[in-house]
Every structure is written in structure tokens, then in C-alpha cells.
Amino acid sequence: MSHSETPLILPAQLKALAQAQLSRSCTCAMGVCTGWESVPGERWPAAQVSRVGSLRASDSFGPEPTYEEFHPHNTRYDAPDAPIAPAFFPYNRCDVFTCSQCDRVLLKYTEYGGYYIDDRVRAVQADLVTDAQPEA
């Protein structure tokens, strides 16, 4: 599926997708990933994951997605209990995948630093998904 064919997944759909999955023990190299984890290409199980959509509103020219994060309970970016807020960074830059071995729903985005490129992955916990929006 090309990025232009990737459907936009809204917060309610992401939550429903995560609730519908029957997580099984997984033997893939992903590990737990309850918070954001760096996942180099050789660890990404490409043969067993499928992209099912994206949280990115658009890849067209227009307003840049916010870099604002959403942490109403003083969590941190990489905390396992941090909210999954698709309107906020880094979720607004994620693609959504499912694993054929464990049925987990995974979020993946690429962090571009000054001297590095780093793919990061987080497993979706349905109870952490929120439809919070940035203030106008």
C-alpha cells in the first residue's frame, strides 16, 4: 500500500482497532514497546506486519503538523502510560501497522535528528487513545 493509498485512521477507529485485536504472545523482535522504542530496520519485522492506515492528516502541502505533545498528567514522551493523542506529536506523523503473529496494533514514525534517522515504534493500548485536539 503506497502512502497515497493509506487511509486516515481517526482516534475512535484506532481505539476500536486496538480493542478488536486479540493479543497473543509474540516471538517477533519488537518486544513489548509500551512506550516509544527505537527500532532499527533489521529489528522491524517487515514480513509479518501490514500497514493498515496512517494518523497523518495529509502529506499534501499545507499547515505543518504540530510538534506540541499532549501530557495532561505530566507523563513524558516515552512513558508507557503517556496518552496516545493522534492530533499531537509524534502521533500525527505515524503510520499504523498490525502484526500477523501477535495481532498487536503498532504505531511507527521516523525521528529525524541533526545527525541521525531513527525509526520509533509503540504498541497501541486502547485505553490510552484520546481524541484531544490542540488549542486554536
Side-chain angles (χ1 to χ4, degrees), residues 96-112:
V96 181
F97 294 82
T98 56
C99 177
S100 64
Q101 285 194 346
C102 65
D103 288 331
R104 286 189 301 174
V105 178
L106 303 168
L107 301 175
K108 181 181 180 188
Y109 84 101
T110 303
E111 180 75 31
Y112 296 96

Side-chain angles (χ1 to χ4, degrees), residues 37-115:
E37 290 189 27
S38 178
V39 178
E42 62 274 4
R43 193 172 144 212
W44 178 246
Q48 68 195 48
V49 295
S50 300
R51 186 172 56 219
V52 296
S54 180
L55 301 180
R56 290 180 277 165
S58 176
D59 282 335
S60 64
F61 294 103
E64 175 88 16
T66 185
Y67 280 101
E68 181 182 352
E69 295 182 25
F70 182 71
H71 298 285
H73 304 293
N74 297 319
T75 53
R76 292 178 34 90
Y77 157 88
D78 58 350
D81 61 341
I84 296 173
F88 292 87
F89 181 82
Y91 306 97
N92 57 9
R93 289 163 170 76
C94 287
D95 284 330
V96 181
F97 294 82
T98 56
C99 177
S100 64
Q101 285 194 346
C102 65
D103 288 331
R104 286 189 301 174
V105 178
L106 303 168
L107 301 175
K108 181 181 180 188
Y109 84 101
T110 303
E111 180 75 31
Y112 296 96
Y115 299 100

